[in-house]
Each structure stands twice: as C-alpha cells, then as structure tokens.
Amino acid sequence: MNVLAVFREVLALGGPVIAILFVISVLTLGVTFYKVWQFSVSGVGRHKVLSEALAAWDAGDRLSAQARLADSSSYLAPLVGSAMTASSQPGLDERLDAEAGVALAGLERGFRFLDTVAQIAPLLGLFGTVLGMIDAFQNLQAAGSSVDPSLLAGGIWVALLTTAAGLAVAMPTSMVLAWFESRTARERVFADKALRTILVPGRSDPAAISLHA
C-alpha cells in the first residue's frame, strides 16, 4: 500500500508526462517479454543439430544431412530443407534469400517500437522538465518580494523528476534493443552461411557452420 501511495505521489508531482512515460514503460516491458518468448520459441541461437546437418551436406553425405535436418527444431530448418530438395533449380538462391529475409523480418518485428521509445522517452522527460521550470518561475514571480528559496528549489527538483523518468525508460530500452539487434545480426549471418553451404557444397569450412553450436 505504501508503494502505491508513493507511485500516486510521483504521478501527482510529475503530471501527465509521468503518466505517459509510465504507459510507455508498460508497453515496452510487454514488447520485451514478447520478443524474449519469440526468440526462445524460434530457437534463436540454438542451431547445433542444423549445423550438423549442414556439415554433413557439405561433406557430401546427403542422407545423413536430411536425417539430421529432420531432428532440428530451428525456424530455419524448413528453409534449409527446401534448399536441399531443390538445390539445382535456376534462380533458387534469390528465392531462398527472399524467404530468409521474411523469416528474419519476423524476428525484427517490434524493434521499431523499441527504437522509438529509446529516442522519444528522454525528449518527453525534457518536455516535462521545461513545463515544470515554467511553472516554478511563475510561482516565483507570483511570490513577489517575499521570495522563499525553498519555493524555487522545490519547483526545480519536481521539474527534473520527469527528465529522470525519461532517462530511466530510455536507457534500459536502448540496451535491450541493442541485444536483440545483435542476436538478429548473428542469425542473418548464420542463415546466409547455411544457404550458401547448400547451394555451393564442398567449398566452405564445415567447422565455420557451427558458429551457433
């Protein structure tokens, strides 16, 4: 109950800007949890079995490669399977690259929202601070000659509260987004390497395929 009272007091002090930042933070937390769940279900970063299938294919053992591929739970397994069964069709590489791009675009869904939050949250906080400073100086002017220094100090710290809240939302959001983007970039490299191995077998280093193993 005390925590709820403190939260209400902070909202009352910060005004609508704090309320907006709170809503944004809740939405950001929801998107973050969804992306973590999506990455986990899709098997992002877990391609050990798929790497073994690619290594077998690269070594010329087609049957073992397809058998290992059937055991893979990677979201890239269906794409690699399509490449294995139609590896001699003309123009296949462009088609597979496009399908890989679609699969990776699904992993990147929500990144734009996180990036927007990371950029706009500090600006919202600064906007609230400017409004608070205006209000503080208006109160100082209204006080006339009987100026109380604590009046100005109190107005300033209340105004700076919104800046602190904006930074508190933006900094972790930026860190989470950077982590998601780095994982997706590694997936893109792995997907490209996997497709090249299927389309041009015997010319790549099988050990390099296991970068996610």
Side-chain angles (χ1 to χ4, degrees), residues 104-176:
L104 292 168
L107 294 180
E108 294 175 343
R109 189 178 299 115
F111 285 7
R112 182 64 62 87
F113 172 78
L114 294 177
D115 182 59
T116 301
V117 170
Q119 295 186 45
I120 201 174
L123 297 178
L124 279 173
L126 182 60
F127 178 66
T129 295
V130 171
L131 293 179
M133 293 295 289
I134 291 174
D135 185 63
F137 281 111
Q138 284 180 337
N139 292 334
L140 188 63
Q141 181 183 23
S145 58
S146 57
V147 176
D148 184 1
S150 64
L151 180 66
L152 180 60
I156 291 175
W157 83 258
V158 170
L160 291 175
L161 182 65
T162 58
T163 296
L167 293 174
V169 173
M171 288 188 292
T173 301
S174 180
M175 293 175 63
V176 167

Side-chain angles (χ1 to χ4, degrees), residues 79 83 86-87 89-102 192 195-196 199:
L79 183 62
S87 57
Q89 290 184 5
L92 182 64
D93 52 348
E94 291 85 358
R95 171 67 181 271
L96 292 175
D97 286 340
E99 292 183 0
V102 171
D192 183 66
L195 293 179
R196 298 288 82 78
L199 298 175

